[in-house]
Amino acid sequence: MPYVVTRSCCADASCVLACPVNCIHPAPGEPGFGTAEMLYVDPRTCVDCGACTTACPVDALKPHTALGAAELPFLELNADYYKRHPHDDRTPMYVLPKQRAVAPGDLSVAVVGAGPAGLFAADELLRHPGKRVTVYDRLPTPYGLARAGVAPDHQDTKQVTELFRTIESQPGFAYRLGVEVGTTVTHEELLRTHHAVIYAVGAATDRRLGIDGEDLPGSVSATDFVAWYNGHPDHADDHYDLATERAVVVGNGNVALDVARILTADPDTLARTDISDRALAALRTSEVREVVLLGRRGPAQAAFTVPELVALAALEDVDVRVEGWPDDLPPDTDDRTRLLARLAARTPVEGRRRIVLRFLTSPVRLTGETSVRALRVAATALHTDADGTVRARPTGETRTLETGLVLRAVGYRARPVPGLPFDEDTATVPHEGGRVGPGVYVAGWIKRGPTGFIGTNKTCAQETVETLLGDAAAGRLTPPEQGTGAVRTALGLDAWHAIDRAERAAGEAQGRPRVKFTDTASLHGAARTAPALPA
């Protein structure tokens, strides 16, 4: 009875360490670890001990006999990985890489950004005695996109926050929440009061489409829409007109799939999640019956991950259709196209809500007098450049999609960080191994761009912390000033725990994981039951 990985990896590697027969790959140190969509269990060598599922912090592993119907594709995905990557020459047991020897002593580091990248960086630092980390964030709550970006119908993915709770419970860890660097505290102040500063501020805005009509009402950012239904304080009062039968999402990454699922989900099912109450009320009166996802290129170039496609295919009350399938594309090219081929072969069920994956289609122009009424799109064809790059070029064929709601989901984009250099083309801070300069470092999306998954931030943070500790060992860091830098208005760990307890208690009363406070006043009100931070 082999165990099976059933979702994207958190990159904690606990399962790899726990496995006595080394049957989970790719492992740390192997090609693909930290960048692969998920890990895989080798069914030939799994001995059914269950050690992996006990170790996994997000319950991603299950025995194959416990898989639900929607999870059965993962059994094939795990087995197929080893047909392509046999790992016959692997060592009998995964060995931890040697940790950098760090001289004992005081080292104070400020981490700006309390999302996955920032917390993984804190974790790497706190593995060494004598290290102190203060994590700053603009919001009154931590966890970044793990709280405000993961879709509410993916409660299993949100379990990674339990790993974050373990990180923040370590000695030497502190929060300063509700603190905006550049306003409440400056970059220079952080440098004066810490040996080093790591910026892990993510990518808070979205990329534009650059087409006519993009600023019409009804043309919106998927980034903002996701923040709205997740109860982000910046978007608590947003309003979206859902009085349209068709919504169009430009893009086919994981965010696009999330938006499509939420727009077509049964509100009674969403009512059992931590979705924003305001968003839930709007979805109960929504007229959306079809969501069309547009991808300029073909199925093989789609940006969504295989686990997210499996989740989409498992929807029981929503039809998932595939359009724009290239005639010359073999259906078994890879896991993604094989699953898409199965979806394309399904027979639609009359009367159901629909999600349409439309490939080889590019947006051209949004039209409407006072708001969006239609989207003009163009068909594309694939061409491969001499360097192997696959590009989509217009064929000249166009069509019009009637719609009152168009969401752009073509990627996140970071903002410049006050006091740091910024590359406008890549929307990242230039660095070498995470180092911007001695004492100043970056991790996460502001470092590498908006790529990867939650777990990718762990290996990214490891590189940055390795560089920082190397600078500390070489004497490149300036000792901080003592007794300065307190932010009296900040919320600490106790305040966050008070907010967390209040949200969970409200959720328990309604049979939900939590009921989020979605405005700053309510969050601060819940935090007042916690002890004040020391001056």
Side-chain angles (χ1 to χ4, degrees), residues 101 148 233 249 284 370 407-408:
V249 182
R284 285 193 183 280
T370 59
L407 300 107
R408 57 182 179 272

Side-chain angles (χ1 to χ4, degrees), residues 249 255-265 291 293 312 354-355:
V249 182
V255 171
L257 266 60
D258 286 347
V259 168
R261 288 197 323 277
I262 297 302
L263 282 171
T264 56
V291 180
L293 276 65
L312 194 72
R354 293 185 301 277
I355 295 174

Side-chain angles (χ1 to χ4, degrees), residues 248-532:
V248 178
V249 182
V250 181
N252 57 17
N254 285 349
V255 171
L257 266 60
D258 286 347
V259 168
R261 288 197 323 277
I262 297 302
L263 282 171
T264 56
D266 180 355
D268 288 338
T269 299
L270 291 176
R272 297 192 291 272
T273 73
D274 62 350
I275 191 172
S276 156
D277 285 346
R278 185 182 180 92
L280 180 62
L283 289 166
R284 285 193 183 280
T285 60
S286 170
E287 297 177 19
V288 175
R289 300 294 301 173
E290 178 181 82
V291 180
V292 180
L293 276 65
L294 302 183
R296 290 185 302 107
R297 297 187 294 172
Q301 293 80 38
F304 51 70
T305 61
V306 171
E308 288 299 316
L309 183 59
V310 171
L312 194 72
L315 297 177
E316 296 181 352
D317 56 352
V318 178
D319 264 341
V320 181
R321 300 170 58 182
V322 179
E323 297 180 357
W325 189 272
D327 294 335
D328 58 349
L329 181 68
D332 59 349
T333 302
D334 54 23
D335 293 334
R336 180 183 288 104
T337 51
R338 184 166 60 249
L339 288 169
L340 284 168
R342 293 174 185 172
L343 284 173
R346 285 184 177 179
T347 302
V349 178
E350 189 67 29
R352 280 184 174 176
R353 292 181 294 275
R354 293 185 301 277
I355 295 174
V356 180
L357 303 177
R358 177 75 193 179
F359 296 101
L360 299 175
T361 306
S362 180
V364 175
R365 182 175 64 257
L366 287 160
T367 59
E369 293 186 5
T370 59
S371 63
V372 171
R373 288 292 175 262
L375 173 65
R376 191 71 175 170
V377 299
T380 62
L382 299 182
H383 297 267
T384 304
D385 293 346
D387 62 359
T389 302
V390 178
R391 301 187 186 278
R393 297 177 182 172
T395 65
E397 177 187 351
T398 63
R399 61 182 293 194
T400 298
L401 297 175
E402 294 184 2
T403 178
L405 180 63
V406 175
L407 300 107
R408 57 182 179 272
V410 291
Y412 289 92
R413 181 177 173 84
R415 298 189 182 106
V417 179
L420 271 63
F422 190 73
D423 185 325
E424 288 288 348
D425 291 336
T426 62
T428 59
V429 171
H431 66 93
E432 293 183 6
R435 181 197 301 110
V436 182
V440 182
Y441 306 86
V442 286
W445 283 358
I446 193 66
K447 170 186 173 184
R448 68 180 190 275
T451 60
F453 324 104
I454 289 177
T456 311
N457 291 293
K458 186 174 180 67
T459 51
C460 177
Q462 286 172 337
E463 179 190 52
T464 295
V465 170
E466 177 74 11
T467 300
L468 186 158
L469 294 176
D471 286 348
R476 300 190 186 102
L477 305 183
T478 302
E481 298 177 7
Q482 299 299 315
T484 60
V487 183
R488 295 183 180 277
T489 59
L491 303 179
L493 181 59
D494 288 339
W496 157 236
H497 284 171
I499 294 170
D500 186 47
R501 284 194 302 270
E503 289 186 340
R504 289 176 185 262
E508 185 176 2
Q510 299 182 26
R512 302 168 64 181
R514 68 174 65 235
V515 175
K516 290 179 179 175
F517 297 114
T518 59
D519 63 276
T520 302
S522 297
L523 288 162
H524 279 268
R528 290 193 190 104
T529 61

